[in-house]
Amino acid sequence: MINTFHTAYNPPPVPPRAGYSRPQPPGNTPLVKFLSVMLLLLIILTFGGFLYLFQKLNVHQEKYNEDMAILQRLQGSEATEKVARLTGAASFKGPAAHMILQNEHTAKSTGERLSNKLHWDLDHSFLQDVRLSSTRDTLTIQYPGIYFIYSQVTFSKHSDSALKQAIKSKVPQERKKEDKEILRSFCSLNTNNSHLCTASLSGVFRLKKDQQLYVTVTNTSLVNRDSCSFGLFKLQ
């Protein structure tokens, strides 16, 4: 007998068979999950790399700015020094001269015995912006300013007169008949128990351009040449 019954409702679903499992959607497979995790790690690493490079660039930029500032200051100081050299103004601060006495042989050849001025060994001395005369006994100031002046002379032979050293100054523009004694000191040598005595002196003076300085002693033949010095230090 043929069923001719018709209805508007859909037939009920077919019940699943025993042992059948519904297939998983493609988006839930382990491979897709692994790729998603790897993509997230790649994004994090890329962001971290850009952040690290940005910080490094900032550090290098700051160092570059500091180096440029130092370079500009150095260039400015060099320009100032060049201007000072042209105008005769003060160009530096620090040691200007430290003179070492000539040895006995050189002193005889330069005629030091004929005067009471000490002669200095240019090869073993230090000079900066100060000239030593051709006779090796006088320093000439090239740049005016305030200088600390010092001298030390050791005597090793007794004398009937006082053992004295002095620093004298001469300003060519003033044309005075006698040079001015700006510092002096004395020491005594006891013939019974002393073999050496040292006279030291120091002072601060404002020196002019082309002002000349030299050291005199009682007698150059009485000087111990191993421990004598004369120097300048520019304060401003």
Side-chain angles (χ1 to χ4, degrees):
M1 181 177 185
I2 300 174
N3 185 11
T4 59
F5 178 78
H6 296 281
T7 178
Y9 296 98
N10 293 327
V14 179
R17 298 177 184 177
Y20 174 80
S21 62
R22 181 178 295 179
Q24 298 293 330
N28 294 332
T29 60
L31 179 60
V32 173
K33 292 181 180 180
F34 173 77
L35 293 177
S36 300
V37 172
M38 293 300 296
L39 181 60
L40 179 61
L41 290 177
L42 181 61
I43 293 173
I44 294 174
L45 291 176
T46 303
F47 178 75
F50 278 115
L51 183 61
Y52 173 77
L53 291 177
F54 180 74
Q55 292 178 346
K56 291 290 288 185
L57 287 175
N58 284 341
V59 171
H60 285 295
Q61 185 66 32
E62 291 177 358
K63 182 172 176 48
Y64 173 78
N65 293 336
E66 292 176 359
D67 292 343
M68 288 301 296
I70 294 173
L71 180 60
Q72 290 175 356
R73 287 197 296 267
L74 291 175
Q75 290 175 344
S77 63
E78 290 177 358
T80 303
E81 183 173 353
K82 289 180 181 178
V83 172
R85 290 180 183 276
L86 293 175
T87 59
S91 61
F92 75 98
K93 295 179 183 179
H98 182 77
M99 311 306 296
I100 302 299
L101 199 61
Q102 287 181 343
N103 57 41
E104 188 78 19
H105 175 73
T106 307
K108 290 180 180 179
S109 63
T110 56
E112 182 184 275
R113 300 289 188 180
L114 303 178
S115 71
N116 62 347
K117 292 182 180 180
L118 294 181
H119 291 219
W120 308 102
D121 185 355
L122 181 61
D123 295 333
H124 296 87
S125 300
F126 168 80
L127 287 172
Q128 178 173 319
D129 290 337
V130 177
R131 294 196 309 269
L132 180 64
S133 64
S134 57
T135 54
R136 304 293 178 91
D137 58 2
T138 303
L139 295 180
T140 301
I141 303 300
Q142 291 185 267
Y143 298 100
I146 298 177
Y147 287 80
F148 174 77
I149 306 174
Y150 64 91
S151 177
Q152 174 180 294
V153 176
T154 299
F155 297 92
S156 58
K157 296 179 182 179
H158 179 72
S159 175
D160 295 333
S161 59
L163 298 174
K164 171 189 174 183
Q165 72 145 330
I167 295 180
K168 293 188 176 183
S169 170
K170 177 181 179 181
V171 181
Q173 296 87 343
E174 296 180 358
R175 297 183 179 180
K176 293 183 178 180
K177 294 183 178 180
E178 294 184 0
D179 298 343
K180 181 180 179 181
E181 184 178 276
I182 59 175
L183 288 169
R184 62 180 173 179
S185 62
F186 300 86
C187 74
S188 59
L189 188 62
N190 190 332
T191 56
N192 296 327
N193 54 14
S194 298
H195 301 286
L196 299 173
C197 74
T198 299
S200 301
L201 50 79
S202 61
V204 177
F205 297 87
R206 182 180 295 276
L207 302 180
K208 300 178 181 179
K209 179 177 172 58
D210 296 328
Q211 188 168 350
Q212 298 175 353
L213 301 170
Y214 58 90
V215 180
T216 63
V217 294
T218 303
N219 190 328
T220 57
S221 64
L222 306 177
V223 172
N224 179 2
R225 297 183 173 275
D226 295 330
S227 56
C228 296
S229 61
F230 172 41
L232 305 172
F233 191 98
K234 194 171 189 303
L235 301 177
Q236 69 177 46

